[in-house]
Amino acid sequence: MNPLKQQRVVVMTGATAGLGAHAVRRIAAQPDTRVVIGARGSGTVPPGAEVLPLDLASLDSVRAFADAVARTLGDARIDILVLNAGVQNAATEKRSAEGYELTFAVNHLAHYLLARLLLPLMADHGRLVITTSSTHDPANTPIAPKTMEPQALAHPSESSFGSGVRAYSSSKLCNLLTAQAFAALDEVVLRRISVVAFNPGLTGGTSLSRDSSRMRRAFLTFLMRTVFRAVSLFKPEYVMSTAERSGELLAEVALGHVTPPPGRLYVSLVKGEPTFPDPSELARSRDARDRLWRESAVMVGVE
């Protein structure tokens, strides 16, 4: 490395397994690049990558991680912040340390708080990438959310068959709305920080359901190989991608090699190639965006 050349700093969640592991290997292989990963364990990370403890099911852990990043980096700035981690559960009975429904807490609240805490540490002209999913859109997923009710997502009244999938698609809508909200911030606009919401598409070999039972994982594999494959003949969004290809595109988006057209922030992997569709109507709603921002701020305890 040229000691006179400033390192590019990348901070990432969801980098120790699945598509994130493939993405971080490509990112870390870039010259003059320093990678800091937040994770519950060390997992499998590229040589030279730094791992700091992070449990997204605990907002205290998120705050501790943000403090640790600040101490570790010193005067260096974050050039690329990739918020990729996510979970999907069979139902909605599990809770975070603060008592919020676990999928909503991990996929949305923790990353919302982390982005707010790390934004002051980001470099001008930096890039914020948030992983979302086409499951947020009723046009692709019939059970996708049609309203934005943050309190109902944080405290669901019941847990039943299919509630876990609904919670996941709702959390992915939250990710898109959060990306829209950050992109609209005066600070982000003035500092020319780009914001991208990335949909890796239906991906095999992910770690989303790693905490699920063996039977549930087998059932999901069956769905992907049969039902989803049949649906993909009519809906290209259901064409399955490999974790390697999804990770490759995530890296390309993070590094700025793939960027949405001006005025857009949604990148969706369809049939192995990046596309730039409109997200759902609800994902483009300013009222839903602002309501989610306000209520999430209260839940995580920031102004």
Side-chain angles (χ1 to χ4, degrees):
M1 184 188 72
N2 181 353
L4 299 178
K5 185 175 182 179
Q6 185 176 2
Q7 282 184 306
R8 171 171 48 194
V9 176
V10 181
V11 176
M12 184 171 178
T13 70
T16 59
L19 68 94
H22 292 284
V24 79
R25 281 199 292 271
R26 289 180 172 272
I27 293 170
Q30 302 299 307
D32 302 303
T33 298
R34 179 183 183 183
V35 176
V36 179
I37 294 170
R40 286 184 296 178
S42 59
T44 302
V45 300
E50 304 163 66
V51 180
L52 298 176
L54 173 60
D55 180 358
L56 292 168
S58 165
L59 296 177
D60 284 343
S61 178
V62 172
R63 295 185 185 93
F65 173 75
D67 289 342
V69 168
R71 290 193 304 270
T72 299
L73 296 183
D75 293 333
R77 301 289 90 184
I78 300 170
D79 297 287
I80 304 170
L81 176 58
V82 183
L83 305 180
N84 175 65
V87 298
Q88 182 175 349
N89 297 299
T92 53
E93 76 278 1
K94 294 182 180 180
R95 295 293 179 267
S96 70
E98 291 75 24
Y100 301 121
E101 193 280 317
L102 190 62
T103 304
F104 177 75
V106 170
N107 295 1
H108 166 60
L109 282 181
H111 283 134
Y112 166 84
L113 176 59
L114 188 56
R116 292 201 61 175
L117 294 175
L118 294 183
L119 180 60
L121 303 182
M122 291 191 67
D124 292 352
H125 303 275
R127 185 171 298 105
L128 168 61
V129 180
I130 303 177
T131 298
T132 181
S133 168
S134 61
T135 61
H136 83 278
D137 191 345
N140 295 318
T141 308
I143 63 173
K146 297 177 177 62
T147 60
M148 173 45 59
E149 303 287 343
Q151 291 297 331
L153 297 176
H155 307 286
S157 58
E158 61 179 16
S159 178
S160 58
F161 179 77
S163 62
V165 178
R166 289 192 293 272
Y168 177 77
S169 62
S170 294
S171 73
K172 296 291 101 179
L173 171 63
C174 292
N175 292 150
L176 251 167
L177 289 169
T178 297
Q180 302 274 17
F182 272 97
L185 291 178
D186 289 342
E187 177 183 358
V188 170
V189 174
L190 289 173
R191 295 174 59 200
R192 297 188 178 182
I193 295 172
S194 60
V195 181
V196 181
F198 170 67
N199 164 41
L202 186 63
T203 304
T206 69
S207 56
L208 280 174
S209 301
R210 60 186 176 275
D211 296 328
S212 299
S213 68
R214 181 179 298 177
M215 182 176 296
R216 173 171 166 75
R217 292 197 300 271
F219 177 66
L220 288 174
T221 300
F222 170 77
L223 281 180
M224 288 184 176
R225 292 178 177 175
T226 57
V227 177
F228 291 168
R229 182 171 294 177
V231 174
S232 71
L233 297 175
F234 309 95
K235 279 186 169 290
E237 293 82 5
Y238 280 79
V239 174
M240 187 179 298
S241 176
T242 64
E244 290 84 352
R245 176 54 185 149
S246 295
E248 178 184 40
L249 185 57
L250 175 56
E252 291 174 352
V253 169
L255 294 168
H257 300 161
V258 172
T259 59
R264 292 176 176 263
L265 56 70
Y266 186 38
V267 179
S268 181
L269 180 64
V270 178
K271 298 178 71 173
E273 298 298 327
T275 63
F276 310 99
D278 287 328
S280 72
E281 182 178 355
L282 185 55
R284 291 177 278 126
S285 166
R286 290 189 178 185
D287 288 342
R289 179 196 73 188
D290 294 345
R291 179 181 180 183
L292 179 65
W293 182 276
R294 289 193 307 269
E295 296 192 24
S296 297
V298 174
M299 291 180 197
V300 303
V302 296
E303 295 183 359

